[in-house]
Amino acid sequence: MSTVLLVHAKGGPPLGHVLSRAAARADVHLLALSALPSAVAASAGKLCASVVTPTGAERSDLVSLIVSRAEAVGAEAVLTFSEYAVVAVAEACAALGLAGAGDAAALARDKRMMRRTWHRHGLPQPAFRPVATRADLHEAVTALAAPLLLKAAWSAGSTAHQIIGSPQEADTAWRRSRETMARSARLGYAELHVAEAAGHFVVEEIVTGDTAGWFDEPGWGDYVSVEGVVTGGVFRPVCVSGRMPTVEPFTERAGITPALLPADLQDRVVALAREAVDALGLRDCGTHTEIKLGAGGRMWLIETAARFGGAMTVPQIEEVFRLDLVGMLVDHLLGRPVAWPERVLGPEQARGAAGSLVVLAVDGHGEAWRDRRLWDFPVVKEAVALSEGSTLSVVPESSLPDGSSVPVYDPAGGANTMAALCLLFAADARTVLRDFTTLVDALPTVLPPAVAAAPKPVSSASPSVPPARPRVRPAGQSEGVPA
């Protein structure tokens, strides 16, 4: 049987899902750069040929560590599903002569280089400026049209996003973003290979999104993502995922597979994603390209990642389209033939629909919950009436234990202030959207109050960022570029 080295770090699809699919195709040696979630620690030992957790000293040269471990186990492929390890794994694959994302991996991580590349190719995106210092930010705020979005160039999960409405807000935004990135790094949510990444930022104009003309019913967010893969430098789109509206500033609340786009509009979205991926020059990797939708058919590129979509995007695709993307990518990297879809799949090819919901302490109108609540999935499942045939579950490795206090939502912390990740299967995408709306509206009422409750330990899968002001944008407001 073939041998692969899987580099694990925070983020990406659930590790349990990845391990089971990869282990069905090859002997898996796991290099754990982040602690294994307690929900999968035991199964990892059974599924993997070896599990190695390097010391701090060994991690000082991450590429050399990956290369040496791959050589030690005789790995024929090396891969990761974490945003924070993509660049290191790509460089290690190049050193080993194995298939990987290639030199362009950094372009799909550093938002500054990504935007510069797309600018050279004339692709539609918000006006932007790279920012490394407070002085750079003040210069950018003067040059660009407010409102603006400041975000960390190497972040994920909408971490450290700050809206700047006027030049007077620049200093506060700069301080908050840097503080948030420092906290995220201590929690393990930070780039693992580029030492100076925490100091890199980009500021961009906020474009106005509009779902009219794209979706036939209300409730959808004004951006989508194209899920795909690059094999031998050729982009192969798989499907398009839809979203609910984001929470201020642009924290993702829910992803839904498939997006209910008419075929002609889906083709337009995929064509732009193809241009974006081709411009970056990726070689062999999963891809996740986010695109903002506007009035009159306008579109803007948000970002492309050299890995599959995070949260439950991969399991959702497997459920809806019967495609095991993890196993297929493993096969491809090992040189085996893979039957990728001949063209992008849409609602017509879907078997039902699936969605994942990030539980945040923000209601459906974008307002912070009035009081603190305890996360308790059994209570939610019992109390919230969903559509007939819909099934709701919780993702243990991405959720706090039942009885934990739901963190106060921090706009700067983004998804770091989530309490849980829920997965829903339903008859169609409209039903998923309707059920998630019902769930979001019900949570602040049905969850038990946190008054006088003893706090429980925070799961390593979903750390809590210290509370900040509970100011959030109404969920229906469509301005802005989510990350």
Side-chain angles (χ1 to χ4, degrees):
M1 198 170 189
S2 300
T3 300
V4 302
L5 177 67
L6 174 63
V7 180
H8 165 67
K10 290 183 181 293
L15 180 59
H17 181 92
V18 168
L19 282 180
S20 63
R21 275 62 178 177
R25 308 298 181 105
D27 289 331
V28 177
H29 292 265
L30 184 63
L31 180 61
L33 304 180
S34 298
L36 301 185
S38 57
V40 298
S43 60
K46 299 175 183 178
L47 289 170
C48 299
S50 71
V51 178
V52 170
T53 303
T55 65
E58 293 174 314
R59 293 162 58 108
S60 61
D61 185 345
L62 196 52
V63 173
S64 294
L65 169 65
I66 297 171
V67 168
S68 63
R69 186 60 189 155
E71 291 175 337
V73 302
E76 299 159 76
V78 179
L79 71 163
T80 186
F81 295 89
S82 168
E83 180 83 348
Y84 305 118
V86 161
V87 176
V89 168
E91 292 186 12
C93 286
L96 291 161
L98 301 176
D103 295 339
L107 301 183
R109 273 293 284 135
D110 185 341
K111 297 174 178 63
R112 303 167 307 167
M113 293 193 291
M114 187 185 306
R115 294 225 173 277
R116 287 177 182 135
T117 300
W118 287 340
H119 178 71
R120 288 197 301 271
H121 284 78
L123 300 181
Q125 61 180 336
F128 71 98
R129 293 289 188 281
V131 173
T133 66
R134 189 189 304 267
D136 289 344
L137 179 58
H138 279 281
E139 183 178 339
V141 168
T142 301
L144 299 174
L148 303 171
L149 180 64
L150 173 67
K151 55 185 176 182
W154 298 79
S155 68
S158 303
T159 303
H161 283 21
Q162 292 284 293
I163 294 176
I164 302 175
S166 68
Q168 291 72 32
E169 298 177 8
D171 286 345
T172 299
W174 180 249
R175 175 179 55 80
R176 285 282 290 144
S177 287
R178 289 174 64 84
E179 289 174 350
T180 301
M181 286 303 295
R183 283 199 300 271
S184 294
R186 290 194 294 270
L187 295 167
Y189 289 85
E191 169 60 33
L192 295 171
H193 179 49
V194 181
E196 66 277 13
H200 297 162
F201 292 82
V202 64
V203 65
E204 47 192 54
E205 293 182 356
I206 296 179
V207 296
T208 302
D210 192 338
T211 58
W214 293 96
F215 296 99
D216 294 332
E217 61 278 306
W220 291 94
D222 56 12
Y223 72 112
V224 295
S225 60
V226 179
E227 323 301 345
V229 67
V230 177
T231 61
V234 177
F235 175 60
R236 303 179 185 278
V238 173
C239 68
V240 179
S241 300
R243 297 292 193 281
M244 291 181 75
T246 58
V247 178
E248 187 196 358
F250 298 107
T251 302
E252 296 188 3
R253 194 196 286 273
I256 300 173
T257 307
L260 282 186
L261 289 174
D264 59 330
L265 297 182
Q266 177 171 275
D267 287 345
R268 288 192 61 224
V269 166
V270 171
L272 180 56
R274 184 183 302 279
E275 289 185 274
V277 174
D278 288 349
L280 296 178
L282 298 169
R283 294 299 303 165
D284 294 281
C285 60
T287 62
H288 172 77
T289 303
E290 296 180 355
I291 296 174
K292 184 83 166 180
L293 308 176
R298 291 194 68 185
M299 294 181 286
W300 301 268
L301 290 169
I302 300 172
E303 61 188 45
T304 287
R307 43 85 182 164
F308 292 134
M312 297 300 288
T313 303
V314 170
Q316 288 168 209
I317 291 172
E318 182 172 323
E319 174 68 22
V320 172
F321 294 114
R322 302 301 189 265
L323 292 176
D324 172 12
L325 291 186
V326 172
M328 294 166 76
L329 180 60
V330 169
D331 279 344
H332 170 70
L333 294 178
L334 290 171
R336 300 167 182 165
V338 178
W340 299 103
E342 294 183 2
R343 69 182 311 275
V344 66
L345 304 175
E348 297 78 11
Q349 293 80 36
R351 300 184 184 182
S356 49
L357 177 76
V358 176
V359 176
L360 301 166
V362 181
D363 66 21
H365 300 289
E367 300 293 335
W369 292 355
R370 294 176 179 270
D371 53 13
R372 301 295 299 275
R373 296 279 168 163
L374 299 178
W375 172 245
D376 193 325
F377 180 70
V379 167
V380 172
K381 193 170 184 179
E382 178 68 24
V384 181
L386 301 177
S387 302
E388 183 177 356
S390 295
T391 59
L392 183 70
S393 60
V394 68
V395 184
E397 66 178 87
S398 302
S399 305
L400 299 177
D402 290 326
S404 301
S405 183
V406 176
V408 173
Y409 176 67
D410 177 4
N416 283 359
T417 48
M418 66 183 282
L421 184 65
C422 292
L423 179 64
L424 180 74
F425 298 124
D428 52 49
R430 288 184 179 86
T431 303
V432 174
L433 182 61
R434 182 172 62 247
D435 283 348
F436 275 168
T437 301
T438 298
L439 189 59
V440 168
D441 290 341
L443 285 175
T445 301
V446 303
L447 287 175
V451 178
K456 290 195 173 185
V458 176
S459 165
S460 62
S462 180
S464 169
V465 172
R469 67 191 192 288
R471 178 180 64 84
V472 292
R473 180 189 302 275
Q477 188 163 336
S478 62
E479 290 191 355
V481 177

